[in-house]
């Protein structure tokens, strides 16, 4: 299966390629592997491009990638990753492959703050009474290390024997799922160095224990694009998470950590969505990596003038020196990689997607209408590969009608659809709030024969369920040929 | 992590292993590049670690002495650079592998081996991991042997005698053929002082012992060599070494006796000549007669040793015409036996060393130390380590040499099923005692001699743990009481939510993440506490890795996988999140049981290693073990541990009911009958994999709307 213009290591189809070893990286022996000694509390920052093999091996000492400890002697393939290997005790790394930039850095005060924060959360967990452990929300601008912080805090908590729940509310980057989705997952087992939190359940063996996420879909790129949908899904999700906490005392005790998109702290909307998240999830600690202005705004909103038990602590962390700008091109590649990984797995856990050809009449596809009049979305639309065609029957629907049943059209080719748990005939609210069974890729639409060919992760059909099609994430034209 | 499972690789374990073997054979000298290369092969094929380890062990064993050192360096490089699972597999036979090589190589190589051994007791250089390369359980026996060996050598030198090295440098040790004289079980009983073999057991155990090279004349040989027409060189060598021992004993008593000294020197030279094979057949008779003559002048100190020959041919041996127990087979072995079992150089004349070891002259020696059979026992141990065991042996001692990983799992899981700390849980305690008693004690005892280590007399739990010595962290790491207590509970800093507290570096937080969990998985870097529970968890975790890797390596399983549908809200809310890598299926099922209401027929007991049949202690009917795909283990369906024995769960249920509600009996019986065959099937519903993985068709298709109503 050729992938014109795109070669992703470890994400190629296993059926066509030679056995992938070490996520596509050639054996390190062949490359000019170099050794790098890191002092205690320093880090190795790297920006590895997609398609460029880049691997790191821990030779001696201890090191971690966003809290996930590297096993000594294991080669980790980190192509397409922008990160930093941090060491508390000093270590020696063996690095092979080319990176766009790589250097060792000593300015790592952020790590001490992160660790102290972990200590605070542990204290809070120790003190947890009936109300449960700390409920943390991390806010801040884009590329300020929010997800890395969430990952570190989650991993350290797991290491300390907790089962924290990690919640991702950023539609631009999926967690255990493709983009345009929200994830809630209770992490009780080892997380993965290469794949973030690892992998959601598959039928085969896995490198790290599987994580069982609950997935919702939000087919827009930012919360402000469709705040009403965003808030509604958040409300539904908070309900599930709260229920889960009640069912599982250990999870409640460990609390949860919410990762948010950079666009959540939007002063123009008077922090409307942020406020909503904080109240729906009963947040009691807000971490920000942003500006002092944001801190002030948050403090004014959540701490000041509230009673002691009602107040939400707000802490501001230093932005890590290693947090780098991830440009639109990179983010796009990342999303494509996530979509690809959803269907084909990774190098070590390769998956076979299944093709389903279904006639138009059997399908209930709902289009999530884009709010083209919302200004906040415009900055992203400029970069969007806009497959959305306005003549698809947008019409002049009322503001309340967001999901609209459509017949399949060629415009859908290459895009992602969420299979909702609700039946195809459900009402709009149900479709909006329902959890996600899985995602489908529209491989081909044959309008003359009235058939849609889907790529599905699972061999089984999904039955009569509502499919939601949005303009986000952008279509991936060359997932299958 | 990424390099351990070549997905899609078509080569199986045998291919990889034979590739490895070929590369090994090319290793002529201490070539760093070649050794690194071999290490890389080993690293990239950890799923075939068992096969590779075996190949390596065999290679070290069979290769010419001159090339043993490079091969041992390969072993060293692999265990240091790759670590588990190689340390586990290679650790099992380490004593044999190392000592075999050690006694065959020259003096210079010995020094290199000494240095090598020294590094095995220490952590990997440059690593912050404080654990030694091999666990002390594996190295300690070698250490002990070396210490004894050095003591003997030193004392010999002090007395102006040629060092033992001189004539020890023989390609084949004299007693090597008769090595299976003493069954290793005798050694094993050591670990279980109270468990003496009953008369019924003993013959069976004697029969268990394979005789790899039974040469007829050895068994037909009359006690005195004179009656034998062709001179048996082995006999002669044995005679000489026995004579030598007596002479040395005499020499120790009267060191200034010139005659003894001369004769001693002569005999030593004679032994060298015979060992080197320089003596012609015709001369052998002469030599033999001389030896016999001298032997008569120096009668053996104890009646048992009067005939110089039979020490490698104990009367109880299978093929021996007159099976009659000798003192060696006393069910209660004496402490001396134990100490002699650890003797370093089995083929070295044991008599030579004893006087110096024990001080008193040989005449006063206690018999067991003198009994060469004891020494042979060690050799038998050594040699058994190299041999594929017979089925009988596997039944008796599956824990180490040829144990499959599954069997190992069984042992582990049996231990794991009942964490010792969880004493409050009555059921767990019941399971523990029952399961443990279901395992033959010998099965769990490592065949590596561990004569003087403190764990030499373990309880059955400890012995089970010991059998996993390769996986377990070293003794030195077994948590001190302060560490054993959950580190997060005590001594943890209390940090309030405040900006000021953020900037302060707290090393104790780093310690809690690293040092207080010293027990690291080399596959994924996960850490475990240095407590019993932590070790049990790590064992399960390593097992999990092993199973996953095994499945990934299986070409029929590795391909065609697909992602599962995500679970829905209700399922997620009620999902019991547990770590499949550290939770036993039993525990996980137990956790879900509360929600699922399982009947007695759904219970099961993991079959102890080697046990496939069992009689229900209540209904006296036979139970057969069946293989559970999901558990990857043999289980007794509808089984439960009752009063330390495995019984039908339904029978137990019935008994319980009978004591409370007398009328419920008939119904329980019906359930029991129905449950016997259904157990194996029903278990699957409760295992973690099916819960995490397969979704039922009806569940995916018939869902009618979101199940959770909006508030």
């Amino acid at each position: 299966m050729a992938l014109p213009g795109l070669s992703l290591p470890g994400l190629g189809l296993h059926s066509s390629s030679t056995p992938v070893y070490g996520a596509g990286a050639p054996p390190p022996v062949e490359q000019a592997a170099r050794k790098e000694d890191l002092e205690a509390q320093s880090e190795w920052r790297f920006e590895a491009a997609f398609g460029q093999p880049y691997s790191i091996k821990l030779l001696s000492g201890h090191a971690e990638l966003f809290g996930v400890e590297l096993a000594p002697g294991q080669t980790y393939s980190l192509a397409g990753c922008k990160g930093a290997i941090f060491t508390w005790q000093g270590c020696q790394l063996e690095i092979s492959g080319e990176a766009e930039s790589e250097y060792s850095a000593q300015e790592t005060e952020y790590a001490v703050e992160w660790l102290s924060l972990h200590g605070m959360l542990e204290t809070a967990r120790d003190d947890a009474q009936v109300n449960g452990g700390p409920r943390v929300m991390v806010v801040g601008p884009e590329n300020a290390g929010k997800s890395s912080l969430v990952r570190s805090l989650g991993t350290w908590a797991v290491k300390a024997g907790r089962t924290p729940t990690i919640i991702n509310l950023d539609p631009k980057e999926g967690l255990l799922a493709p983009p345009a989705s929200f994830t809630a997952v209770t992490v009780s087992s080892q997380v993965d160095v290469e794949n973030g939190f690892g992998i959601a359940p598959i039928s085969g063996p896995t490198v790290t224990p599987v994580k069982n996420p609950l997935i919702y879909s939000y087919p827009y790129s930012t919360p402000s694009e469709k705040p009403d949908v965003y808030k509604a899904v958040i409300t539904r999700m908070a309900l599930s998470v709260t229920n889960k906490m009640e069912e599982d005392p250990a999870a409640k005790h460990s609390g949860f950590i919410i990762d948010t998109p950079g666009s959540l702290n939007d002063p123009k909307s008077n922090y409307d969505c942020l406020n909503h998240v904080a109240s729906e999830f009963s947040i009691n600690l807000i971490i920000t990596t942003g500006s002092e202005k944001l801190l002030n705004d948050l403090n004014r909103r959540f701490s000041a003038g509230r009673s002691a038990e009602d107040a939400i602590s707000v802490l501001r962390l230093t932005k890590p020196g290693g947090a780098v700008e991830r440009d639109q091109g990179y983010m796009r590649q990342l999303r494509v990689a996530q979509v690809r990984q959803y269907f084909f797995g990774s190098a070590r856990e390769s998956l076979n997607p299944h093709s389903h050809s279904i006639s138009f009449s059997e399908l209930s596809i709902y289009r999530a209408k884009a709010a083209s009049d919302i200004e906040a979305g415009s900055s992203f639309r400029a970069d969007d590969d806009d497959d959305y065609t306005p003549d698809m029957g947008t019409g002049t629907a009322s503001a309340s009608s967001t999901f609209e049943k459509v017949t399949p059209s060629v415009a859908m080719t290459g895009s992602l659809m969420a299979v909702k748990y609700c039946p195809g005939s459900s009402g709009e609210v149900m479709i909006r709030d329902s959890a996600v069974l899985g995602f489908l890729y529209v491989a081909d639409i044959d309008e003359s024969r009235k058939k849609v060919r889907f790529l599905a992760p699972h061999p089984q059909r999904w039955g009569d369920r509502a499919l939601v099609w949005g303009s986000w994430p952008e279509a991936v034209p060359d997932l299958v040929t | 992590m990424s390099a351990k499972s070549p997905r899609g690789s078509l080569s199986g374990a045998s291919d990889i292993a034979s590739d490895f073997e070929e590369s090994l054979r090319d290793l002529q000298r201490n070539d760093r590049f070649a050794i690194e290369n071999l290490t890389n092969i080993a690293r990239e094929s950890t799923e075939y670690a068992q096969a590779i380890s075996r190949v390596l062990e065999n290679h070290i064993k069979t290769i010419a002495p001159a090339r043993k050192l490079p091969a041992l360096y390969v072993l060293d490089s692999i265990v240091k650079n790759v670590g588990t699972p190689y340390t586990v597999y290679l650790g099992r036979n380490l004593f044999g592998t190392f000592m075999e090589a050690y006694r065959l190589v020259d003096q210079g190589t010995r020094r290199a081996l000494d240095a090598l051994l020294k590094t095995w007791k220490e952590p990997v250089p440059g690593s912050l991991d404080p654990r030694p390369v091999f666990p002390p359980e594996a190295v300690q026996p070698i250490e002990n042997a070396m210490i004894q060996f050095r003591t003997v050598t030193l004392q010999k030198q002090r007395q102006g005698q040629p060092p033992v090295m001189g004539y020890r440098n023989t390609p084949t040790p004299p007693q090597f053929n008769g090595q299976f004289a003493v069954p290793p079980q005798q050694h094993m009983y050591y670990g279980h002082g109270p468990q003496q073999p009953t008369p019924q057991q003993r013959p069976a155990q004697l029969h268990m012992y394979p005789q790899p090279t039974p040469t007829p004349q050895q068994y037909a040989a009359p006690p005195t060599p004179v009656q034998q027409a062709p001179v048996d060189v082995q006999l002669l060598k044995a005679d000489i070494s026995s004579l030598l021992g007596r002479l040395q004993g005499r020499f120790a008593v009267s060191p200034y006796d010139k005659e003894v000294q001369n004769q001693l020197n002569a005999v030593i030279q004679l032994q060298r000549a015979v060992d080197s094979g320089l003596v012609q057949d015709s001369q052998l008779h002469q030599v033999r007669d001389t030896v016999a003559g001298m032997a008569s002048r120096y009668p053996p100190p104890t009646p048992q040793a009067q005939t110089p020959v039979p020490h490698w041919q104990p009367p109880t041996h299978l093929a021996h015409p007159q099976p009659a127990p000798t003192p060696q087979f006393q069910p209660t072995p004496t402490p001396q036996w134990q100490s002699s079992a650890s003797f370093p150089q089995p083929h070295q004349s044991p008599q030579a060393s004893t006087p110096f070891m024990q001080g008193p002259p040989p005449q006063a020696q206690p018999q067991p130390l003198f009994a060469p059979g004891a020494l042979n026992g060690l050799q038998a141990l050594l040699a058994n380590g190299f041999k594929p065991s017979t089925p009988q042996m596997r039944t008796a001692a599956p824990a180490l040499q040829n144990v499959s990983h599954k069997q190992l799992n069984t042992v582990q899981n049996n231990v794991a099923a009942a964490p010792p700390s969880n004493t409050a849980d009555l059921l767990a305690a019941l399971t523990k005692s029952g399961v443990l008693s279901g395992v033959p004690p010998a099965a769990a005892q490592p065949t590596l001699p561990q004569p003087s280590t403190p764990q030499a007399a373990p309880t059955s739990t400890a012995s089970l743990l010991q059998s996993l010595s390769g996986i377990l962290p070293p003794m030195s790491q077994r948590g001190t009481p302060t560490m054993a207590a959950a580190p997060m509970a005590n001594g943890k800093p209390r940090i309030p939510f405040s900006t000021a507290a953020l900037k302060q570096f707290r090393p104790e937080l780093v310690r809690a993440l690293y040092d207080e969990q010293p027990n690291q998985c080399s596959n994924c870097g996960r850490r475990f506490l240095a407590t019993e529970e932590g070790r049990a968890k790590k064992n399960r975790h390593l097992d999990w890795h092993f199973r996953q890797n095994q499945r990934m390596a299986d070409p029929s399983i590795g391909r065609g996988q697909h992602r599962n549908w995500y679970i829905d809200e209700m399922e997620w809310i009620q999902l019991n999140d547990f770590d499949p890598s550290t939770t036993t299926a039993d525990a996980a099922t137990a956790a879900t049981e509360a929600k699922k209401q399982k009947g007695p027929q759904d219970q099961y007991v993991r079959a102890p290693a080697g046990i496939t049949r069992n009689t229900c202690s209540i209904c006296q009917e036979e139970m057969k073990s069946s293989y559970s795909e999901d558990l990857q283990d043999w289980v007794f369906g509808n089984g439960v541990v009752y009063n330390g024995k495995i019984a039908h769960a339904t029978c137990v249920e019935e008994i319980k009911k009978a004591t409370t509600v007398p009328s419920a009996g008939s119904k329980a019986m019906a359930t029991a009958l129905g449950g016997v065959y259904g157990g194996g099937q029903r278990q699957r519903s409760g295992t973690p994999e099916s819960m995490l993985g397969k979704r039922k068709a009806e569940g995916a298709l018939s869902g009618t709307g979101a199940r959770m109503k909006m508030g």
Side-chain angles (χ1 to χ4, degrees):
Chain A
M1 206 170 286
L3 303 168
L6 184 72
S7 89
L8 288 177
L11 292 169
L13 294 179
H14 53 84
S15 52
S16 62
S17 58
T18 49
V20 202
Y21 213 74
V29 215
E30 292 172 25
Q31 295 200 349
R34 52 208 182 273
K35 288 183 177 150
E36 204 60 53
D37 285 296
L38 295 185
E39 295 165 23
Q41 290 195 43
S42 65
E43 66 183 11
W44 180 253
R45 295 177 186 161
F46 58 92
E47 293 178 55
F50 284 99
Q52 281 274 20
Y54 188 73
S55 58
I56 288 182
K57 182 163 84 174
L58 177 65
L59 293 179
S60 63
H62 299 308
E64 52 187 43
L65 176 66
F66 300 135
V68 195
E69 188 176 349
L70 273 62
Q74 297 279 4
T75 306
Y76 293 102
S77 175
L78 297 167
C81 175
K82 300 190 179 200
I85 308 258
F86 184 85
T87 177
W88 293 104
Q89 300 93 339
C91 70
Q92 190 182 41
L93 300 175
E94 186 185 276
I95 296 146
S96 52
E98 296 280 316
E100 287 169 346
S101 108
E102 52 172 18
Y103 60 99
S104 66
Q106 272 76 41
E107 287 182 11
T108 56
E109 294 80 11
Y110 83 90
V112 172
E113 291 185 15
W114 286 16
L115 188 70
S116 297
L117 181 56
H118 162 69
M120 291 174 190
L121 297 183
E122 278 298 296
T123 306
R125 285 171 190 134
D126 286 339
D127 295 349
Q129 304 292 318
V130 280
N131 289 332
R135 299 181 292 275
V136 186
M137 174 165 74
V138 180
V139 296
E142 306 274 347
N143 303 318
K146 290 188 303 297
S147 303
S148 306
L149 170 64
V150 169
R151 194 171 157 194
S152 297
L153 292 176
T155 308
W156 286 331
V158 171
K159 233 175 160 181
R162 312 287 185 179
T163 52
T165 301
I166 306 296
I167 295 163
N168 173 42
L169 299 181
D170 185 355
K172 291 198 161 182
E173 200 178 338
L175 191 150
L176 299 167
S181 62
F182 296 158
T183 307
V185 59
T186 303
V187 185
S188 58
S189 52
Q190 175 75 11
V191 293
D192 199 86
V193 174
E194 293 173 9
N195 277 338
F197 281 96
I199 189 162
I202 61 172
S203 63
T206 55
V207 190
T208 43
V210 294
K211 312 287 181 288
N212 256 299
L214 175 64
I215 306 290
Y216 291 92
S217 123
Y218 176 73
Y220 304 95
S221 63
T222 62
S224 47
E225 199 173 331
K226 251 330 181 178
D228 52 329
V229 176
Y230 192 83
K231 287 201 268 189
V233 177
I234 295 292
T235 303
R236 176 65 172 241
M237 195 171 181
L239 190 62
S240 294
V241 170
T242 313
N243 268 311
K244 167 99 180 174
M245 300 284 131
E246 293 310 314
E247 284 284 324
D248 187 345
K252 186 175 185 180
H253 201 257
S254 301
F256 53 77
I257 306 166
I258 301 180
D259 191 11
T260 63
S263 46
L264 187 69
N265 41 312
D266 176 19
K268 280 179 225 160
S269 67
N270 202 17
Y271 300 108
D272 182 30
C273 286
L274 195 154
N275 208 13
H276 184 78
V277 174
S279 60
E280 287 296 318
F281 282 99
S282 313
I283 295 297
N284 56 18
L285 174 64
I286 295 178
I287 307 294
T288 172
T289 52
S291 61
E292 262 183 275
K293 178 181 182 300
L294 178 61
L295 177 72
N296 279 335
D297 287 353
L298 293 170
N299 263 327
R300 200 174 323 126
R301 184 166 285 271
F302 295 111
S303 310
R306 294 205 187 190
S307 62
E309 62 265 26
D310 222 20
I312 300 175
S313 308
V314 182
L315 285 179
R316 179 170 171 249
L317 301 187
T318 316
K319 182 183 164 182
V324 290
E325 190 69 26
R326 298 187 295 176
D327 59 27
Q328 299 293 349
Y330 173 84
M331 288 308 290
R332 193 184 145 82
Q333 272 191 313
L334 185 68
R335 281 190 292 272
V336 171
Q338 285 194 336
V339 170
R340 187 168 280 283
Q341 194 164 4
Y342 178 74
F343 290 103
F344 295 104
S346 65
R348 293 168 299 151
E349 291 140 341
S350 69
L351 302 173
N352 271 342
H354 292 260
S355 192
H356 297 275
S357 204
I358 300 177
S359 69
F360 286 5
S361 57
E362 292 175 69
L363 291 167
S364 317
I365 300 177
Y366 292 85
R367 188 172 66 83
K369 280 189 278 186
S372 45
D373 54 335
I374 294 179
E375 49 197 325
S378 59
S379 60
F380 299 100
R381 304 212 64 79
D383 190 64
D384 274 357
D385 182 334
D386 201 350
D387 272 320
Y388 159 60
T389 43
D391 64 343
M392 268 299 302
T394 319
T396 49
S398 66
S400 63
S401 163
T402 313
F403 294 89
E404 173 188 48
K405 191 162 182 174
V406 292
T407 46
S409 73
V410 280
M412 292 173 178
T413 312
S415 51
L416 212 59
M417 283 188 191
V419 186
K420 296 276 187 158
Y421 262 99
C422 61
S425 55
S426 305
E428 192 179 337
V429 170
M430 185 79 97
I431 290 168
R432 182 190 65 191
D433 296 346
S434 183
V436 172
L437 175 80
F439 291 91
L440 304 175
Y441 176 80
V442 183
D444 186 35
I445 295 201
D446 187 338
E447 285 192 321
S448 58
R449 289 176 53 233
K450 298 209 174 297
K451 288 256 186 192
V452 183
R453 191 161 64 84
F454 287 108
L455 205 61
H458 198 275
Q460 203 173 53
R461 290 221 189 159
W462 47 92
D464 174 36
R465 293 183 195 282
L467 305 184
V468 172
W469 170 58
S471 58
W472 187 261
E474 59 273 80
V476 184
D478 47 7
L479 194 69
V480 281
T481 48
Chain B
M1 188 144 79
S2 58
K4 68 177 181 257
S5 47
R7 166 77 47 78
S9 162
L10 292 174
S11 42
S14 58
D15 287 351
I16 295 271
S18 61
D19 279 359
F20 187 82
E21 195 172 10
E22 241 164 64
S23 313
L24 257 185
R25 254 186 249 122
D26 294 339
L27 185 71
Q28 301 279 356
R29 60 200 174 78
N30 188 0
D31 177 353
R32 179 161 168 249
F33 179 78
I35 290 173
E36 274 174 7
N37 199 24
L38 283 161
T39 309
N40 276 333
I41 297 178
R43 176 182 298 127
E44 287 158 9
S45 323
T46 43
E47 60 266 55
Y48 308 122
Q50 196 169 9
I52 288 176
S53 303
R54 196 170 297 151
V55 163
L56 182 56
E57 277 168 0
N58 279 333
H59 177 78
I60 295 172
K61 201 181 95 186
T62 52
I63 200 164
R67 284 165 61 187
K68 279 192 196 294
L69 185 64
L72 274 159
Y73 279 162
V74 172
L75 184 151
D76 178 67
S77 171
I78 289 176
V79 295
K80 281 181 186 159
N81 293 306
V82 187
T84 44
Y86 289 100
T87 43
V88 179
Y89 291 124
L90 291 168
R92 289 179 188 164
N93 285 339
L94 191 63
F95 182 82
T97 311
F98 189 86
M99 294 311 290
E100 264 287 291
Y102 194 89
R103 72 185 172 78
L104 294 180
V105 296
D106 59 36
Q107 196 57 40
T109 314
R110 283 214 181 109
R111 272 194 289 274
L113 289 181
D114 285 336
L116 198 59
L117 181 65
K118 194 160 161 276
T119 66
W120 288 349
K121 290 181 291 177
E122 290 161 6
V124 178
S127 161
L128 292 188
D129 188 346
R131 287 171 301 164
V133 176
F134 275 111
E137 294 93 325
V139 179
Q140 195 58 45
I142 306 180
E143 269 295 287
N144 292 345
M146 299 302 250
I147 289 166
Q148 293 199 10
F149 165 69
R150 271 188 219 111
T151 316
V152 172
T153 314
L154 201 69
Q155 280 168 341
K156 275 181 177 301
Q157 281 166 341
R158 206 176 291 148
Q159 307 217 6
Q161 304 225 348
V164 197
M165 316 285 180
Y167 55 90
R168 270 209 314 101
N169 199 3
T170 55
T172 327
Q175 296 103 320
F176 201 63
N177 278 336
Q179 59 206 3
F180 294 99
V182 179
Q185 267 97 347
Q186 198 157 17
H187 179 74
M188 288 174 182
Y189 293 139
Y190 259 97
H192 308 270
Q195 283 158 344
Q196 295 168 358
T198 62
Q200 295 95 316
Q201 282 175 325
R202 236 165 56 205
Q205 278 148 2
L206 293 177
H207 282 262
M208 257 165 224
Y209 278 83
Q211 304 162 25
T213 52
T215 34
Q217 68 264 36
Q218 281 177 348
Y219 301 113
T224 44
V226 195
Q227 294 164 1
Q228 199 179 6
V231 177
D232 188 324
V233 181
Q234 297 295 333
L235 285 185
L236 185 59
K237 285 180 184 174
D239 285 2
I240 293 173
S241 60
S242 142
L243 174 63
L244 191 62
R246 270 173 264 147
L247 272 172
Q248 281 168 330
R250 181 65 61 92
F251 181 76
V253 179
S254 46
Y256 302 106
D257 187 336
K258 271 275 188 299
E259 194 196 356
V260 174
Q261 204 175 330
N262 287 342
Q263 281 173 341
L264 188 62
N265 285 338
V267 171
I268 287 169
Q269 276 164 22
L270 187 65
Q271 191 183 36
R272 273 190 198 157
V274 171
D275 281 355
S276 62
L278 292 174
V279 186
Q280 311 225 321
D281 273 1
S282 56
Q283 293 172 314
L284 279 176
H285 286 280
Q286 207 183 334
V287 172
R288 189 191 61 200
D289 293 341
T290 316
V291 170
M294 285 175 78
S296 62
R297 286 186 58 194
Y298 296 99
T302 54
Q304 282 83 359
Q306 232 158 18
T307 52
V309 187
H311 65 268
W312 48 268
Q313 191 188 1
T316 44
H317 207 286
L318 247 194
H320 200 277
Q322 294 148 337
T326 65
Q328 286 106 312
F329 284 88
Q330 288 300 327
T332 320
T334 58
Q336 286 91 341
W337 196 95
Q338 194 180 8
S339 69
S340 62
S342 69
F343 201 80
Q345 303 301 331
H347 73 292
Q348 179 193 344
S349 104
Q351 297 86 345
S353 63
T354 42
F356 306 113
M357 303 278 301
Q358 300 286 326
Q363 285 81 0
Q365 277 304 299
Q367 196 275 331
L369 249 186
F370 242 100
L375 214 53
N376 287 340
L378 174 64
Q379 268 203 333
L381 273 174
L382 260 174
N384 267 339
F386 301 135
K387 303 279 176 199
S389 46
T390 60
Q392 294 96 321
M393 179 168 168
R394 215 172 292 134
T395 319
L400 281 160
Q401 304 303 340
N402 259 17
V403 63
S404 76
H405 203 84
K406 270 167 202 149
Q407 285 167 303
L408 196 61
N409 287 351
T410 314
V411 180
Q412 284 176 345
N413 289 327
N414 284 342
V415 178
S421 58
N422 195 1
T423 44
D425 191 340
L426 184 64
L427 186 68
L430 190 66
T431 312
K432 174 183 160 195
S433 61
V435 172
L436 289 185
S437 69
V439 181
Q445 181 69 6
T447 48
L448 288 181
Q450 304 187 334
S452 62
T453 44
Q455 62 268 47
T459 65
S460 61
T461 313
S463 70
L464 274 168
L465 283 168
Q466 259 186 37
S467 69
L468 312 165
S469 55
I471 300 170
L472 289 177
M475 289 297 287
S476 60
Q477 306 253 330
R478 298 211 174 155
T480 57
T482 47
M483 256 172 75
M488 49 272 294
N490 304 330
K492 225 165 104 174
R494 288 194 51 84
I495 313 172
F497 290 140
S498 76
T499 313
L502 271 181
K503 308 275 178 196
Q504 190 191 338
F505 177 54
R506 292 176 180 78
E508 62 269 26
L509 289 173
V510 178
R511 272 204 302 279
L513 292 174
Y514 285 90
D515 307 337
E516 287 174 22
Q517 308 184 42
N519 209 345
Q520 193 183 17
C521 167
S522 64
N523 278 307
C524 67
R526 193 193 151 130
R527 288 179 175 274
F528 298 89
L529 295 177
T531 58
E532 285 294 327
E533 199 190 342
R535 270 189 294 280
K537 267 192 177 178
K538 188 184 180 195
N539 290 344
R540 271 170 276 166
H541 178 79
L542 288 176
D543 270 358
W544 180 87
H545 272 304
F546 185 85
R547 286 197 300 269
Q548 296 289 318
N549 288 340
Q550 219 173 23
R551 289 177 69 197
M552 283 188 185
D554 186 339
S556 62
I557 295 177
R559 287 165 181 277
Q561 297 304 333
H562 58 82
R563 189 176 286 274
N564 291 329
W565 296 120
Y566 294 120
I567 53 178
D568 77 349
E569 288 160 323
M570 280 320 283
E571 204 175 332
W572 185 76
I573 288 166
Q574 290 176 352
L575 181 69
N576 167 37
D577 287 284
F578 59 87
D579 183 351
S581 79
T582 56
T583 318
T584 51
D586 311 38
T589 335
T592 39
E593 222 170 302
K595 290 172 183 171
K596 285 201 175 173
Q597 268 294 351
K598 276 172 61 170
Q601 67 274 13
D602 290 326
Q603 298 177 28
Y604 59 88
V605 172
R606 281 174 194 264
I611 292 188
T612 57
R613 281 156 195 269
N614 177 58
T615 309
C616 172
S617 59
I618 295 166
C619 70
Q620 300 301 321
E621 278 177 35
E622 192 180 53
M623 301 168 77
K624 281 185 191 170
S625 64
S626 59
Y627 188 75
S628 160
E629 283 290 337
D630 288 326
L631 294 168
Q632 308 254 321
D633 204 353
W634 291 87
V635 296
F636 285 110
N638 181 27
V640 75
V641 175
Y642 181 72
N643 286 347
K645 286 175 180 163
I646 298 172
H648 286 124
T650 38
C651 293
V652 174
E653 192 73 6
E654 191 186 351
I655 284 194
K656 283 178 186 161
K657 273 183 193 158
T659 51
T660 50
V661 188
S663 64
S666 60
K667 196 187 168 207
M669 179 57 94
T671 329
L673 293 170
V676 174
Y677 300 104
Q681 281 296 321
R682 287 196 195 96
Q683 292 150 15
R684 301 189 179 180
S685 63
T687 55
E689 236 163 41
S690 65
M691 200 171 78
L692 296 174
K694 297 154 196 154
R695 295 189 52 80
K696 290 192 185 76
E698 59 267 32
L701 290 167
S702 68
T704 48
R707 300 193 199 159
M708 197 178 66
K709 296 285 175 245
M710 283 288 292

